[in-house]
Amino acid sequence: MSSVFRSVSDVLVVVDRGQRIEQTGGSFDTVFEAAGTRALGGRVEDLATEASRPEFRAALEQVIQKRDFTTVEIEVDTGQGAAPLELSIAPRLDERGKSVGAVIVGRPVGELRRAYSELEASHRALKEAQGHLVRNEKLASLGRLVAGVAHELNNPISFVYANTHALEKYATRFETYFDAVQSGATRQDLVALRRDLKLDRDLKNLREAINGAKDGAERVRDIVEDLRRLSAEGTSEAVDFDLVTTTRTAADWVVRGTKTPVKVVFCEGAHPIARGNPGHVQQIVMNLVQNAIDALGETENPQVTLHHEIDGAHAVLRVTDNGPGIPETIAGSIFDPFFTTKPVGKGTGLGLSISTKIAQEHGGDLRYEKSAEGGSCFRLNLPKGKDR
Ligand SMILES: Nc1ncnc2c1ncn2[C@@H]1O[C@H](COP(=O)(O)OP(=O)(O)OP(=O)(O)O)[C@@H](O)[C@H]1O
Ligand SMILES: [Mg+2]
């Protein structure tokens, strides 16, 4: 029996009816080594810390008197500090079934606890790191977006500028003419001046310049409007929106920000209304179109096709490219966070996993389908909205 007691890794203590130690075993000596050997016959509750003693005593009493099994967690005093032990306490019965004490088996929970808290800490750290990367990914998309915005704003702004410059010239000439009128020039002189200054031509061009400047300003306003919609993150309330318009805006932004000459084709077989957050959906489309463009670097006649359809309860967008496609060996991994085949600094591998998350938050999904032409095809299913 004593060899059994010695070979067990748990702490074993046998006590009599008076809760005094009769025998010890298992890892008892190791656990309580620093506390000095406690004499057999001592009170078992003295093994516990002051605070744990009442609970320990009560548990033992219950076992000894009611002949019940019980489990308690108490802190023992190891001599090197307190350590939590999980105790299973079983009654000891004699041959007539009379209670003669208890057998206590203790298992240290400190180790497990420590492991748990370490696990929890590393989980927290990982989550933080992930949050960080998601933010970085957002910043990267923002960078691409800003490039597109700068390029796009440049056009209408130079348009406005050129037209106001022309208006300035016209204004100077009209001023010269009106000064002549004021100073009482003869009718003949005025006619000559009007011809020399080409005022009739200016008058005709005046309207055009005003309209041109207005057009440019309106274009700037539209761009800002688009951007505002794209960043409308705060309102996550679902709305019915035109999927085609949203897709177009998003695709336009990406194309503007890229140097690769890619043909983007919109197939508008159907005109689905989707339900959700258009700003977030734009983010998915931008990711998909960006991926397609990235894959088209070496392709002749590169083309991205955006196809819309209604399928049952879904508004569907398919983004297809005629690039190299995705090899079978990696197709299973592309939706994993951080999976990327792009060089460092080019891709973080979060585009597809974030897009999937957004699609799922909408009650839809995002899938990869092999394109019939050998390229890639991503299918985005979103819940259908109400037609206006
Ligand atoms: N249209 C596509 N054609 C070929 N491969 C693709 C296509 N779309 C995605 N992939 C593959 O899937 C991988 C993961 O795409 P994902 O958008 O998640 O990350 P990424 O584009 O590499 O980086 P990030 O989007 O964070 O900038 C890509 O690195 C690429 O290998
Ligand atoms: Mg991507």
Side-chain angles (χ1 to χ4, degrees), residues 153-165 208-209 211-217:
L153 283 178
N154 215 16
N155 260 329
I157 287 175
S158 16
F159 206 52
V160 171
Y161 186 74
N163 281 301
T164 39
H165 190 68
E208 254 170 54
N211 286 341
K214 240 164 93 182
D215 279 355

Side-chain angles (χ1 to χ4, degrees), residues 241-244 267-275 306-318 379-388:
F241 65 95
D242 183 336
L243 185 57
V244 178
C267 285
E268 288 178 33
H271 208 100
I273 302 294
R275 184 155 185 80
L306 297 142
H307 176 95
H308 296 93
E309 68 188 47
I310 298 168
D311 184 2
H314 285 128
V316 181
L317 162 70
R318 272 188 284 135
R379 179 191 168 111
L380 171 67
N381 283 331
L382 291 172
K384 208 169 69 175
K386 284 197 191 67
D387 281 321
R388 279 156 217 171

